[in-house]
Amino acid sequence: QVHLVESGGGLVQAGGSLRLSCAASGRTFSRYAMGWFRQAPGKEREFVASISWNGGGTGYKDSVKGRFTISRDNAKNTVSLQMNSLKPEDTAVYYCAAAPTVATMPMLGEYAYWGQGTQVTVSS
């Protein structure tokens, strides 16, 4: 069982930066690949970034490559998403999720645990 809590969302102007964090409970955090997803109003939830259990592999949505960086600290049971050069189209509720797999980019259905989300709003 993994309980996930996101933080770090907020309102930022276009071109600005935010750092999202996800704190996980449970002693088996290092056994999970972790992902960040987002959902904008009226749209489906979409993949943003993922990282393998040991941090050795990462994957990104094409539109965030070069702007967002996912990282994890297994000693602290946290995963982060550094978001730079933010755009209005990045506005969404951001969720972290955990998948019990060695894959770097798990399929959506492999994510077993989800946080409640944190709002990110980018103004133009």
Side-chain angles (χ1 to χ4, degrees), residues 27-33 52-54 72 74 99-102:
R27 292 175 290 180
T28 60
F29 174 74
S30 62
R31 299 180 185 178
Y32 291 80
S52 63
W53 67 276
N54 63 353
R72 68 187 296 161
N74 286 346
T101 175
V102 298

Side-chain angles (χ1 to χ4, degrees), residues 58-80:
T58 57
Y60 296 92
K61 177 181 175 62
D62 284 347
S63 64
V64 307
K65 286 180 180 177
R67 299 190 297 123
F68 291 11
T69 303
I70 188 171
S71 61
R72 68 187 296 161
D73 185 336
N74 286 346
K76 296 182 179 179
N77 281 15
T78 59
V79 60
S80 299

Side-chain angles (χ1 to χ4, degrees), residues 9-32:
L11 173 64
V12 64
Q13 290 187 332
S17 298
L18 281 175
R19 185 176 181 87
L20 305 183
S21 293
C22 176
S25 65
R27 292 175 290 180
T28 60
F29 174 74
S30 62
R31 299 180 185 178
Y32 291 80

Side-chain angles (χ1 to χ4, degrees), residues 32-63:
Y32 291 80
M34 298 297 297
W36 284 96
F37 291 76
R38 66 188 182 188
Q39 187 168 18
K43 296 187 177 180
E44 293 188 354
R45 190 171 299 189
E46 64 177 7
F47 168 79
V48 176
S50 61
I51 188 166
S52 63
W53 67 276
N54 63 353
T58 57
Y60 296 92
K61 177 181 175 62
D62 284 347
S63 64

